[in-house]
Amino acid sequence: MIGSLPVDQVALPATPSVPGSVQHRATVSAAVLTMVACGLGEPLAYQAEKSGALVQDVVPVSGQESFHGNAGSVPLSFHTENGFHPHPPD
């Protein structure tokens, strides 16, 4: 478990209100998460998914509560991320 990581409270953006939201500015939280990810492997993103954002916000969006995805509030079942892609993550 990783805890007590820095969060820039002043720069913390509002919770997104539409599905597919992507931050276009670097944040302290995203930088710390990316550094941790680099210690575990090589972070990658797909252009077709959230404009290729390496760090994606997973937040419930109003009106999408029953959606099975990163905008809903329903627990996700076991699944493979981007299993359809010709070069899936390993």
Side-chain angles (χ1 to χ4, degrees):
M1 179 175 180
I2 299 173
S4 300
L5 298 176
V7 175
D8 186 350
Q9 294 289 341
V10 175
L12 194 63
T15 301
S17 60
V18 295
S21 297
V22 174
Q23 292 184 36
H24 295 284
R25 290 186 16 212
T27 63
V28 171
S29 302
V32 170
L33 181 59
T34 302
M35 287 189 291
V36 170
C38 285
L40 299 172
E42 186 172 338
L44 67 95
Y46 295 105
Q47 182 62 34
E49 184 175 357
K50 293 202 176 195
S51 304
L54 274 175
V55 178
Q56 301 177 6
D57 295 322
V58 178
V59 296
V61 175
S62 181
Q64 299 286 314
E65 293 85 1
S66 61
F67 175 69
H68 287 267
N70 61 7
S73 297
V74 178
L76 295 175
S77 59
F78 285 108
H79 65 285
T80 300
E81 294 293 330
N82 299 315
F84 60 87
H85 197 275
H87 304 288
D90 58 3

